[in-house]
Amino acid sequence: MKLLNRLKLKSRMILILGLMALVQTGFIGLFAVHYLQQSLDEQIGQRALHVAKTIAALPIIVEAIERRDSSYLQPVSLRLAEKTQARFVVIGDSDAIRLAHPNPEKLGLSMADDDGDDSSQALIHGKGYISKALGSLGWSMRGKAPVFSTDGNRVVGVISVGYDLDRVADIIHRYRLTLIAVIALSFMLSAMIAVWFANHFKRAIFGLEPEQIAYLFDEQRAILESVREGIIAINSKGEITTINQTAIVTLGLPKEGRLIGQKVEDVLPDSSLLEVLQTGEPQYDQEVWRDHYCIIANRLPLKQGDQITGVVSSFRRKDELDLVSKKLTRIQQYADTLRSQAHEYSNKLHTIAGLIQIGANEEALALIGQETRSHQKLIRLLLDAVPDPILAGCLLGKYNRARELGLRLKIDPESRMTELPDHLPREQLVSILGNLIDNALEATLKHNGVNGEVTLSMTDLGNDLIFEVEDQGPGICESEQQRIFEKGVSSKGKEGHGIGLHLVKSLLTNLGGTITLEPVADTGSRFIVYIPKQREPRSAEFHPEQDAG
């Protein structure tokens, strides 16, 4: 194997194709010779049996066997062998004792002393048969036929006719010489074809050796994995041929599955790569929304002459710095919230301390109980109904946010969310629920002022996870219900809004969920989210429904 690797591609192909032709022709030749030998043996055996049956049917032979007249049968057997071009004609009686044989010294001896064949199949069963054996006269194909008495009731003898196999050996030898010549010609022809194919193949791969191609492939793969941009390439059939890890991470694709060879529309249903493949028009700096972030994509067609052979796309996240800025802003908001809560609790601690100092212990205990009672009730509810720490932490944070705004976030005590599927991304679930609650808090505060209430109900019964968020806002008119989930559309009428609900719908699209909007009887809106427990992708739909009342 090491020696083969040292050879050039052309030498390898000549050697391999030549050996393949040699092996194939050799196997075919051996089979042909074996089949020819069997066929010739069968033909000679059938001829010997036919001659033996013909001699056994001659009345004069039958009568001589019955008389055990060796003096008559001996010369007759020699003449019959000469006439039929047989090597020998041996005649035996019912006990397989020779009555005629080319070698007079064998007369009177058993026919079984050559190869152990006692001719029982002919003498006992009365059937003719063919055999190949090494007898006293060498290798021969023999046909043995029983001799029946003149009345045909019993077997009185046996006729054995043998043909020399030297002629078969000569024929097989001639075929072997022909086979060797054919093998040599096949090897030469294969070598010529290998030379032509190797030259053509070398031109197609720019004169590179396989090891060089493998090195370039590994080098290209390393380069693709080292760049910070995502890269995807498809062929003329729309199948993915190249994709790096950055692309997989950026697009949120599964790392375990094999993406190479899959149809791009199956992996990325909204991709524009097929459009570029059909039109051949490149696309530069295209903004694409993926989940909750924006991607800047470039798509270039690959061409060989005038034919489009594929498309390559490179892309990067536009909002990497924006994400960092948003995270810092969110941290600042959390810090402000903690600062306001610390100030609030500091005032209450001072009040409690003052009550204790003036001896109003019962009033101090009542104030402490009033302050902790609502938190303890919420924590007990979350521990029992929402064991997932991420979702429970989100709800607790929104509860505190509502209190900071002077609102109440009421969680239905009958809520239950204990069967969250493992495959459901918690960050997406928190983003969906958090945006809906934030919108409900803002709408309630704007329309109803402080002391307003937002209600949350959850259930995991059945095949879906269901979340209901109801606010006390001004409601959404019917004309806006059809557009409320579009990017940039907001009931607030302020610049920079209209992202939250669009993000909710985008996340639900990935999860195969749906969202509905119902107007509340008096005022406000109720958003209902359905997320399937089983991973069956489907398009997220928005269904505005009129209140039945």
Side-chain angles (χ1 to χ4, degrees), residues 37 41 115 130-135 139-142 165 168:
Q37 184 172 2
D41 289 347
D115 57 359
I130 299 170
S131 66
K132 180 180 180 181
L134 178 62
W139 281 101
S140 62
M141 285 298 298
R142 301 180 304 184
L165 292 180
V168 176

Side-chain angles (χ1 to χ4, degrees), residues 325-342:
S325 177
K326 289 179 180 179
K327 290 180 180 179
L328 293 175
T329 302
R330 192 173 302 169
I331 292 173
Q332 182 64 40
Q333 292 175 349
Y334 289 155
D336 293 340
T337 301
L338 292 175
R339 189 179 300 109
S340 62
Q341 289 183 350

Side-chain angles (χ1 to χ4, degrees), residues 401-456:
R401 172 63 177 169
R403 291 195 59 187
E404 179 188 354
L405 297 175
L407 304 174
R408 294 188 303 276
L409 175 59
K410 179 181 178 182
I411 300 179
D412 188 349
E414 299 297 326
S415 294
R416 177 182 176 86
M417 192 58 58
T418 61
E419 297 182 5
L420 287 178
D422 294 335
H423 68 80
L424 181 63
R426 298 301 189 266
E427 67 278 5
Q428 296 187 21
L429 178 61
V430 166
S431 183
I432 292 172
L433 196 57
N435 275 285
L436 290 177
I437 294 176
D438 285 342
N439 283 351
L441 292 174
E442 292 185 25
T444 301
L445 182 63
K446 177 181 178 182
H447 180 72
N448 207 37
V450 296
N451 298 323
E453 184 176 271
V454 172
T455 304
L456 171 65

Side-chain angles (χ1 to χ4, degrees), residues 92-108:
D93 61 9
S94 59
D95 295 324
I97 302 300
R98 295 189 185 96
L99 300 176
H101 192 276
N103 184 2
E105 296 179 357
K106 296 288 185 177
L107 294 176

Side-chain angles (χ1 to χ4, degrees), residues 248-266:
I248 294 175
V249 174
T250 302
L251 299 177
L253 301 176
K255 298 180 181 179
E256 301 81 11
R258 179 174 176 82
L259 300 176
I260 302 298
Q262 294 192 34
K263 294 288 187 180
V264 68
E265 62 265 25
D266 296 336

